[in-house]
Amino acid sequence: YLAAMSRASDCPGEVSPHAAPEQQIVEHIAASDVLDVAAGLAEVPVDHLIEQGRELPLIGTLVSLGRIGYHVRDYLFTRKLVTFYRQLATTPERQRIAFVQRLRDDGDLNRAGESLLEVLDKATTAEKAHFVGQLYSYCIVSEVRWADCERMSEMITMAYLDDLRYFQRVRRDGIGETGDEVEHLLALGYLVREKKRFGNRIIEQVQPTLSTYGEHLSSAFAS
């Protein structure tokens, strides 16, 4: 299977294998062959990816970073990278291409690549990379400003995994008034307690609601 995928990925579109890693990781978002490979490799053991997948553009990104090997960090990063790209597989190609082109036109391509590499590196599990992939897919389709996408990616890495799971499943009208998950999500900006003025008094609501970023993240995780 890996050999077949390698032959199918010999021509990775406009993504140069000599480009800097921070450029490649963003350019791959617009490459259908990379996303097809990522979707197909989701269940392939990572040791086989590393051993046999060096010719794939997806794994080639890691090779260019000098990170391929049998170290735990390499193993986990490879799984997170594949998980991230897998979430983009159903995002329309024209929208992915437009997203990358906007980054290029705005001079943000390398910065976005550096940020994404750092986010995936800091993500403690592949499940967090899954959430980051959902966010990027949502931002691409909804044309959310990349600076906001970057901020929300950082919010994902800073949250406890159990808090992210709580946030994903909780109904908007069912958010608890307090509790560990709620307090952590409030501190990270997912939730907010609105303040209302009554005459000269300002009263903070007890019941939290979604912040502006929380609205985006809730929509992204629901997709």
Side-chain angles (χ1 to χ4, degrees):
Y1 179 81
L2 282 166
M5 289 295 96
S6 178
R7 290 193 298 272
S9 303
D10 285 340
C11 300
E14 298 179 359
V15 183
S16 170
H18 305 295
E22 61 268 25
Q23 180 178 347
Q24 290 187 46
I25 194 171
V26 181
E27 294 275 12
H28 283 328
I29 291 174
S32 293
D33 58 344
V34 173
L35 299 189
D36 290 343
V37 169
L41 294 179
E43 303 305 323
V44 175
V46 175
D47 55 345
H48 291 294
L49 284 177
I50 293 171
E51 181 65 24
Q52 302 179 38
R54 293 174 181 268
E55 300 305 317
L56 302 178
L58 184 59
I59 309 305
T61 297
L62 295 182
V63 172
S64 66
L65 282 168
R67 305 187 69 164
I68 286 297
Y70 291 99
H71 301 296
V72 171
R73 192 175 182 86
D74 299 329
Y75 181 98
L76 294 175
F77 190 85
T78 302
R79 176 59 70 197
K80 288 184 287 187
L81 190 65
V82 170
T83 300
F84 167 78
Y85 279 121
R86 189 184 186 196
Q87 302 315 303
L88 301 176
T90 59
T91 307
E93 182 179 16
R94 60 179 178 78
Q95 292 179 307
R96 289 186 279 107
I97 291 173
F99 171 76
V100 173
Q101 187 60 49
R102 285 195 301 274
L103 291 175
R104 186 181 292 110
D105 293 344
D106 294 340
D108 287 332
L109 188 69
N110 284 357
R111 179 188 164 191
E114 290 174 359
S115 174
L116 184 54
L117 285 170
E118 289 178 1
V119 162
L120 293 177
D121 190 45
K122 287 189 293 186
T124 52
T125 65
E127 190 173 349
K128 277 195 178 182
H130 173 99
F131 284 120
V132 174
Q134 284 185 306
L135 172 64
Y136 263 77
S137 181
Y138 168 80
C139 289
I140 290 170
V141 172
S142 302
E143 298 186 3
V144 175
R145 286 192 323 144
W146 177 76
D148 291 330
C149 186
E150 179 185 37
R151 179 184 292 269
M152 290 185 283
S153 296
E154 291 286 353
M155 290 169 64
I156 291 172
T157 64
M158 290 188 293
Y160 292 120
L161 186 55
D162 283 347
D163 295 347
L164 287 172
R165 291 167 177 165
Y166 169 84
F167 182 79
Q168 182 184 39
R169 69 175 182 268
V170 71
R171 291 169 52 90
R172 297 186 185 208
D173 58 357
I175 300 171
E177 293 182 358
T178 188
D180 288 344
E181 296 96 340
V182 172
E183 297 303 326
H184 292 159
L185 293 170
L186 279 164
L188 292 176
Y190 288 73
L191 307 175
V192 63
R193 287 193 174 103
E194 294 182 346
K195 297 180 180 179
K196 294 188 177 181
R197 179 181 292 274
F198 294 92
N200 293 326
R201 298 178 60 194
I202 297 177
I203 299 178
E204 186 177 68
Q205 299 287 90
V206 174
Q207 182 66 44
T209 59
L210 294 176
S211 66
T212 300
Y213 290 125
E215 292 278 358
H216 283 308
L217 287 161
S218 179
S219 297
F221 295 167
S223 59

